[in-house]
């Protein structure tokens, strides 16, 4: 887990997250994961389907000897990784840590 995520300094929409975290408590990360998981799972499915199509067709970049399917692989890998992270947040949600703002820090 990254240092920023574990200390509560990751980027999030602070306008809503504070109020929702107070209202929902421990269920806040689980609710967000439940809302995001179908989106990332669908994106992973579509990206893997397109990756398989490009791989089987053998298309290559203009003038380069590498398959164009490699470009589609990164989207599929990212969507799968985010889907797994959302599943982890559903099964074992971490409490949201509210980071204190240091006076010397600038956004």
């Amino acid at each position: 887990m990254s240092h920023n995520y574990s200390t509560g300094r990751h980027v999030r929409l602070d306008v809503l997250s504070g109020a929702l975290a107070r209202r929902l408590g421990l269920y806040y990360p689980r609710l967000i994961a439940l809302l995001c998981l179908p989106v990332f799972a669908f994106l992973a499915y579509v990206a893997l389907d397109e990756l398989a199509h490009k791989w089987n067709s053998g298309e290559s970049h203009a003038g380069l000897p590498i398959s164009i399917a490699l470009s589609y692989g990164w989207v599929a890998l990212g969507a799968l990784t985010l889907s797994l992270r959302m599943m982890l947040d559903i099964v074992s949600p971490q409490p949201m840590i509210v980071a204190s703002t240091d006076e010397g820090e600038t956004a």
Side-chain angles (χ1 to χ4, degrees):
M1 181 182 309
S2 72
H3 174 71
N4 287 343
Y5 188 82
S6 62
T7 58
R9 294 177 189 254
H10 67 287
V11 177
R12 64 176 170 258
L13 188 57
D14 287 330
V15 174
L16 297 175
S17 65
L20 286 174
R22 282 190 301 274
R23 186 170 203 156
L24 299 172
L26 181 63
Y27 296 110
Y28 172 67
R30 185 174 282 163
L31 177 67
I32 296 301
L34 281 169
L35 291 174
C36 292
L37 179 60
V39 174
F40 290 122
F42 178 72
L43 181 62
Y45 172 76
V46 170
L48 285 172
D49 184 48
E50 190 65 23
L51 173 67
H53 173 69
K54 295 293 183 186
W55 187 268
N56 290 333
S57 69
E59 290 183 44
S60 63
H61 290 285
L64 296 175
I66 60 172
S67 173
I68 201 167
L70 296 176
S71 300
Y72 288 86
W74 294 111
V75 176
L77 180 65
L80 282 172
T81 304
L82 285 170
S83 296
L84 291 173
R85 177 64 203 192
M86 294 299 122
M87 284 188 253
L88 180 64
D89 282 345
I90 291 169
V91 174
S92 175
Q94 301 294 321
M96 192 175 95
I97 302 169
V98 179
S100 61
T101 56
D102 297 335
E103 291 181 19
E105 279 187 33
T106 58

